[in-house]
Amino acid sequence: MSLNRTTLSPARTPIPLQDEIEIRNVADVDYVLTFPDSKKIEGRGKIFLTDLRLIVVAEPPSDSFETLSVQHTSLLSIKSEAPRLFNAPRILVEVKPTPGGGLNESGSTRVELRCSKGDKEAFLRFAAGLDKTRERAVNKSRANPEDEFDLPAYGAPGASGSSSSSAPTYATDVPSDAPPGYEP
């Protein structure tokens, strides 16, 4: 989880990382961030779901909070609650801080997202998409545990990676302790 680290466009939407795809977004969402030291930040903004992260963007930004970016593998739990008689739908997320993300790493942070004025159907679809995307990311990280904190970095301004990619290279050396008949 990173606080105020997401690069935004002039329209205040997140600029995607390399190969990142936006899945859903919802405006007019109330948020409450509760940190391990019991400090709270409350406000209203937009939420974005990509294949790599959950992003909360404050509207308008404050001196202490502009964005929250959370990798799906840092989401410890997600609980979606459908609206009841007088309550708005909400999503409760417990987040593990990312090393070097700008927050105290001693405990988890609680994020509450509530749709009191926005499109409730879009919010419920967002909640379902968040759960499915997190599940995919966790399964993928279990297959590649060393990639847990390796999000691609933002490229240099004006850089385009679409036509200058090179084919991957593979090592063809056979390890000295390989079993007989081993071929890379």
Side-chain angles (χ1 to χ4, degrees), residues 8-156:
L8 299 175
S9 72
R12 299 203 40 80
T13 60
I15 295 177
L17 300 171
Q18 180 182 357
D19 298 327
E20 184 175 34
I21 299 167
E22 183 180 318
I23 299 171
R24 296 192 187 284
N25 69 70
V26 180
D28 293 326
V29 173
D30 297 318
Y31 59 82
V32 178
L33 310 177
T34 307
F35 299 100
D37 60 1
S38 299
K39 177 185 171 189
K40 286 188 178 186
I41 296 176
E42 298 181 41
R44 178 176 289 272
K46 299 182 236 177
I47 53 176
F48 297 84
L49 176 62
T50 74
D51 59 333
L52 301 176
R53 327 175 263 177
L54 166 66
I55 303 166
V56 178
V57 177
E59 286 293 334
S62 68
D63 292 336
S64 62
F65 180 70
E66 184 175 10
T67 65
L68 174 74
S69 175
V70 184
Q71 297 177 45
H72 295 301
T73 54
S74 294
L75 299 173
L76 298 175
S77 67
I78 299 172
K79 181 180 178 185
S80 300
E81 295 181 357
R84 295 190 191 153
L85 189 57
F86 296 109
N87 294 337
R90 68 181 187 161
I91 303 170
L92 301 170
V93 181
E94 188 176 349
V95 179
K96 173 178 65 174
T98 301
L103 291 173
N104 184 347
E105 298 174 27
S106 66
S108 63
T109 298
R110 184 171 178 234
V111 179
E112 180 179 345
L113 305 169
R114 188 179 299 268
C115 183
S116 57
K117 293 185 180 181
D119 182 349
K120 291 176 178 44
E121 289 299 317
F123 186 83
L124 294 171
R125 286 191 302 272
F126 184 97
L130 176 61
D131 196 38
K132 289 177 187 175
T133 305
R134 176 188 174 264
E135 184 178 338
R136 268 188 243 118
V138 168
N139 288 338
K140 184 178 177 183
S141 74
R142 287 180 181 151
N144 293 331
E146 70 277 354
D147 293 341
E148 183 176 358
F149 295 112
D150 293 338
L151 278 177
Y154 283 104

